[in-house]
Amino acid sequence: MTDLKELFIKYYGESSEEIRFFTSPGRVNLIGEHVDYCGGLVFPAALTLSSVAAVRLNNSDVVNLRADDLDGLYSFNLNNTEAGKDLKWGNYQAGVIHWLKENGYKVRGMDFLFSGNIPFGSGLSSSAAIELTTAVAAASLSENFDEKGYDLINLALIGQKAEHTFSGVNCGIMDQFASAMGKKDNAILLDCSTLSYKHVPLNLGEYTLILANTCKKHALGASAYNKRREEVSEGLIRMNSILGTDKDNLCDFTEDDYLKAEALMAADKIRDRVKHVIYENQRVKKAVEVLENGDLLAFGEILREGHASLRDLYEVTGFELDTMFDVACQTEGCIGSRMTGGGFGGCTVNIVKKSAVENFIETVGNAYKSKTGITPAFYVCDIGDGAREIKM
Ligand code: GLA
């Protein structure tokens, strides 16, 4: 924080206004992938890897954005937040501020300096973390904060809207929710159709979570993510028409419903997508149940099934993620593995015996590198708190 403050003053100069610090974490999703936008259950946890911003009012109508790892100043006027869509960097922040204003916040001109340690493009929700950092900061510094305060779930919804409208990714609510509502040492069981949730203590006993970064960047915006959303919308129409139902979400169907409909559905990709979504949603229920009963072996097995379904039915893995998964599953001490996040690159999450961590990193690292030519990165996954102000 002291370094960030110094850099802030170097960039923006001295002022009588106070510099404040805000932070919001990235997330790992343990199970429940590509179901949030189908009204399903997800089970993410906030990381201690996070985005941080130093922020200060500047007594103007302009929001200035900088980052400690980027050259240049990115600015937009509060009276024309839409122009923020065209920023080379800063569109998430502009989107959040746009929607805060629409929500009645009297946002004031301010200077931001962002920092953080979430590897970008690694499937750990660096964008949601930036959105939520911006949201808590801009709301806290707004003219009518005393009257409005903030509700973290509302800020998560604002972050999601920013992503839809300012970056063109039609994402679900999981990432922003986890970043906003994370709790140290707990995962979050979230029902994305109602936003009801509970924190579940992550008691992993003699095991720990390791993130294995394929170091192949995903490109959500340009990728097949939005296409998957279209496919599952078509899947919902098919399921309703075959079963004569009128359900709002694909996750309202059970495995039995799917089995009834299966033979009557064309055996194509849409059917595979539907099957993944319905079964993945059930996997979340089972996974949380076995975890609460302390059956980590069963939990790990469900994670592996989840990966196979994302690979074979939902087709969002790819060579690097599948290689990382395969070598992890063959490595001693690893009882569960799967890709986490949107896919097409990014990280896997692995459940590894604490005593086997070093060997896991070395063995998986070497095997992955020899098969892909890419040097991967590993992080021991500590579960932290959600979006907040850091008091100095
Ligand atoms: C991305 C999206 C989330 C979710 C995951 C897949 O992270 O932002 O909303 O759909 O992919 O589970």
Side-chain angles (χ1 to χ4, degrees), residues 27 29 31-38 42 123-125 127-128 160 163-164 169-176 192 218 220 225 229 276 280 310 314 316 338-343:
R27 64 95 192 92
N29 186 24
I31 186 84
E33 214 67 88
H34 284 280
V35 294
D36 60 346
Y37 49 82
C38 300
V42 294
L124 302 178
S125 291
S127 55
Q160 182 195 25
E163 188 120 356
H164 287 183
V169 179
N170 211 0
C171 64
I173 189 62
M174 171 172 73
D175 302 348
Q176 289 79 9
C192 298
H218 69 183
L220 266 193
Y225 186 90
R229 287 206 63 156
H276 166 76
E280 178 78 355
L310 289 158
Y314 218 68
V316 289
R338 61 182 282 281
M339 58 152 269
T340 185

Side-chain angles (χ1 to χ4, degrees), residues 162-198:
E163 188 120 356
H164 287 183
T165 52
F166 277 61
S167 88
V169 179
N170 211 0
C171 64
I173 189 62
M174 171 172 73
D175 302 348
Q176 289 79 9
F177 197 98
S179 190
M181 301 297 291
K183 184 175 167 193
K184 189 171 163 38
D185 298 331
N186 281 254
I188 308 169
L189 176 61
L190 168 66
D191 180 338
C192 298
S193 66
T194 58
L195 297 191
S196 64
Y197 71 98
K198 71 168 183 175

Side-chain angles (χ1 to χ4, degrees), residues 8 12 17-18 20 22 53-66 73-78 93 96-98 100-101 105-114 133-143:
F8 187 98
Y12 293 114
E17 297 285 355
E18 184 193 359
R20 291 166 67 179
F22 297 87
V55 190
R56 188 176 70 189
L57 292 173
N58 62 18
N59 300 308
S60 78
D61 286 337
V62 176
V63 173
N64 293 311
L65 306 166
R66 283 184 183 273
L73 171 70
Y74 302 84
S75 305
F76 61 92
N77 194 292
L78 283 169
Q93 294 93 323
V96 165
I97 287 173
H98 175 86
L100 280 173
K101 286 184 64 193
Y105 283 95
K106 293 184 183 160
V107 180
R108 295 189 276 191
M110 52 196 147
D111 299 335
F112 279 88
L113 175 61
F114 281 86
T133 301
T134 308
V136 283
S140 300
L141 271 68
S142 66
E143 203 181 312

Side-chain angles (χ1 to χ4, degrees), residues 329-348:
C329 289
Q330 288 155 17
T331 302
E332 215 190 308
C334 174
I335 58 164
S337 180
R338 61 182 282 281
M339 58 152 269
T340 185
F344 307 105
C347 290
T348 62

